[in-house]
Amino acid sequence: MMQGSIVEANVISKKKRDERANREKQEILNPERLERAKIKRKKKIFWGTLLGILFCGAIIFVSFEIMRAIGKNSLYENVEAAAPDMGPVMAKEALTKEEEDKWQEGWVKYKGNIYAYNEEIITFLFMGIDKNSEVQEVEEGTDGGQADALFLAVMNPLDKTIKIIGINRNTMADVDIYNSEGAYVTTQKAQIAVQHGFGNGVEESCEYQRKAVSKLFYGLPIHGYAAIQMSAIPTINDAVGGVDVTVLEDLTIKDGMLVEGADVHLMGKTAFWYVKYRDTNTFGSADMRLERQKQYLTGFMDAAKRAAKENISVAAELYQAIMPMMVTDISLEEAAYLAPVILDYRFGGEDGFYMLEGETVMGEVFEEFYADEEALYEMILDIFYEPVEG
């Protein structure tokens, strides 16, 4: 066996010596031919390597596009209802014979005009949770943290716009009550912000809050959510280089820079107090804070755009920084779909920011905000519906 291996090795060695001798002979007799052969081999290596890179790149690109397609489908499948149930809300208007003939399910007639829900719209719920720590799961009960900031971000692919809806944390809405074992007890009218407090403080609480906001908007489909602890405000703010505001009310009790009327570049804790603080002993303080939050978010969007132009990785860096302080159901595939798409969208500033109209009154214990039903109805039609032509 060993002798056979030695013979085989000798044969291979002789073959290599013969090939080397042949190359040396060719170099002497026909050096130009040998040079062409070398060039040919180099070209083969080059094109082979290039094709390999292109093939790998194609696989990565196709994989990414497949992931984006999965993410897009996932977003649209992430809702329980295809459209809000607007029918029973306001008095139904009589249809003409022509309208009856072409009528489709889900259409709405209001003040003589017909509207259809824009099924291309993607809506996200953003919650600012009244917690000054990293996200932690808690026992069932009421310790999940209240949603002191509630905003809907509405992406409309038809006109490539993002609109923001601010929801007063004291808005009286249907809130589901659960006991300490997590069992449903009843539903009652309460400030919508308390809904997040029920549940485990993470995904369960977020789902409760999503349901409450959806019901407030007549069953509006909400495709995803992100709940962010208020303690994340300095990190988020400073990641975009800070935000410029003209201070709307005196907050020097928390920060000496926050003098009413002063032009301030918010950084760190100053941004935190401007967005978070309210004097609970002052009537309507939640309303005034919501105005500050609206002003701040408008400035933040501008600052974020500038920061993204200077550093394209700012979004990824920010996402990683706030992950310990955030709960979200937006998957990697969904984020992969949204990231390049959202760059083409525009935010309309003050014109793209909507607030629930209504009245704040003093309840038995706490302030209560009652939304104007007709104004809410018209806002939903304006943002989420398109006129039916003809």
Side-chain angles (χ1 to χ4, degrees), residues 203-215:
E203 288 82 2
E204 190 176 58
S205 292
C206 291
E207 289 295 343
Y208 291 166
Q209 190 69 64
R210 168 156 60 179
K211 180 182 177 184
V213 172
S214 175
K215 285 169 65 177

Side-chain angles (χ1 to χ4, degrees), residues 76-288:
Y76 284 106
E77 292 171 358
N78 224 7
V79 292
E80 295 182 2
D85 186 9
M86 304 285 279
V89 181
M90 308 294 285
K92 291 186 177 180
E93 296 184 22
L95 303 178
T96 65
K97 181 65 172 65
E98 183 182 356
E99 290 170 345
E100 287 181 351
D101 291 340
K102 68 175 184 178
W103 194 260
Q104 295 183 23
E105 185 178 356
W107 282 10
V108 177
K109 184 176 181 180
Y110 183 69
K111 293 186 177 179
N113 298 312
I114 298 176
Y115 302 88
Y117 178 71
N118 179 0
E119 295 182 355
E120 296 297 313
I121 273 180
I122 304 175
T123 303
F124 297 98
L125 173 63
F126 289 92
M127 301 165 262
I129 308 304
D130 189 16
K131 291 269 189 177
N132 294 325
S133 62
E134 293 187 356
V135 172
Q136 293 178 337
E137 186 170 345
V138 298
E139 295 292 331
E140 295 280 355
T142 57
D143 296 327
Q146 296 188 9
D148 268 359
L150 288 166
F151 296 93
L152 287 172
V154 185
M155 293 177 59
N156 187 347
L158 297 185
D159 59 9
K160 294 289 194 297
T161 61
I162 296 176
K163 295 182 174 67
I164 307 293
I165 302 173
I167 304 170
N168 191 311
R169 56 99 58 215
N170 291 329
T171 301
M172 298 302 288
D174 289 335
V175 171
D176 293 337
I177 309 300
Y178 298 83
N179 63 21
S180 58
E181 283 75 43
Y184 169 77
V185 177
T186 186
T187 298
Q188 65 183 46
K189 289 290 183 183
Q191 288 94 340
I192 198 168
V194 307
Q195 182 67 87
H196 188 276
F198 295 96
N200 59 3
V202 285
E203 288 82 2
E204 190 176 58
S205 292
C206 291
E207 289 295 343
Y208 291 166
Q209 190 69 64
R210 168 156 60 179
K211 180 182 177 184
V213 172
S214 175
K215 285 169 65 177
L216 176 66
F217 284 75
Y218 313 129
L220 176 73
I222 297 177
H223 301 83
Y225 65 74
I228 305 170
Q229 311 287 71
M230 285 295 198
S231 55
I233 292 172
T235 302
I236 296 170
N237 178 86
D238 294 0
V240 300
V243 175
D244 294 318
V245 299
T246 299
V247 179
L248 296 180
E249 60 178 304
D250 186 85
L251 299 174
T252 51
I253 190 173
K254 286 298 179 182
D255 191 304
M257 294 180 63
L258 299 177
V259 179
E260 183 176 358
D263 293 326
V264 177
H265 183 71
L266 299 175
M267 292 293 292
K269 272 289 187 180
T270 305
F272 172 80
W273 291 123
Y274 194 73
V275 174
K276 166 95 169 46
Y277 179 72
R278 73 181 179 108
D279 183 358
T280 55
N281 295 317
T282 301
F283 181 77
S285 61
D287 302 26
M288 292 184 285

Side-chain angles (χ1 to χ4, degrees), residues 318-356:
L318 177 57
Y319 184 84
Q320 286 187 334
I322 66 173
M323 269 304 294
M325 296 172 279
M326 178 174 69
V327 179
T328 182
D329 68 341
I330 300 172
S331 68
L332 177 62
E333 292 82 5
E334 291 165 351
Y337 166 70
L338 291 168
V341 167
I342 204 169
L343 295 175
D344 294 330
Y345 282 66
R346 58 184 173 82
F347 173 62
E350 290 284 341
D351 293 335
F353 210 119
Y354 296 73
M355 305 279 273
L356 292 190

